[in-house]
Amino acid sequence: MFNTDHAGLKELTHNALRIVAGFLFVQHGAQKLFGVLGREAVESLMSRAGVAGILEFFGGLLIIVGLFTRPVAFLVSGQMAVAYFIAHAGRGFWPVLNGGELAAFYAFTWLFFFAHGAGRFSVDGWLAGRRNPD
């Protein structure tokens, strides 16, 4: 009844996850950097929140288009892990209770993209296709 070759669906959902997660991540950075979407901007870009805003906004944009995806994903995965332990873990073990479920989810989402890359429908995928035209 169902096609057992899910390669096309896997590729489509891989890329859709990258784009949507990057879009959502950009919004967190935009809040911090530009004081939009219900939050005031940070006072200093050199503060912890300022650096986080830079990583989230520009890292999210790079992830959306799929450029330098593996190194960017590694960097922001680490940022989210650090954010979890600094801001949430001290408030209790369970992420849903300590408010850290989003940081934990992003950390592992970006870890996935570090391990798997951006996918075919990305700048990284396009560049790889130009280097290896099979």
Side-chain angles (χ1 to χ4, degrees), residues 23 59 94:
F23 174 72
W94 299 106

Side-chain angles (χ1 to χ4, degrees), residues 8 11 16 19-20 24 37 45 71 73 76 81-82 84 90 100 115-116 118 120 123-124 129:
E11 189 67 38
I19 292 165
V20 171
L24 296 172
L37 304 171
L45 293 179
V76 294
V82 168
Y84 179 82
H116 293 273
R120 186 171 14 153
V123 175
D124 290 342

Side-chain angles (χ1 to χ4, degrees), residues 20-78:
V20 171
F23 174 72
L24 296 172
F25 203 57
V26 162
Q27 294 175 63
H28 291 282
Q31 284 183 310
K32 293 174 182 81
L33 294 181
F34 309 119
V36 296
L37 304 171
R39 179 179 169 157
E40 290 187 28
V42 297
E43 291 189 23
S44 169
L45 293 179
M46 298 312 294
S47 68
R48 191 173 18 196
V51 172
I54 291 168
L55 290 170
E56 291 163 2
F57 186 77
F58 293 102
L61 289 176
L62 287 169
I63 286 171
I64 289 170
V65 298
L67 179 61
F68 306 122
T69 305
R70 287 180 192 266
V72 170
F74 181 77
L75 184 64
V76 294
S77 176

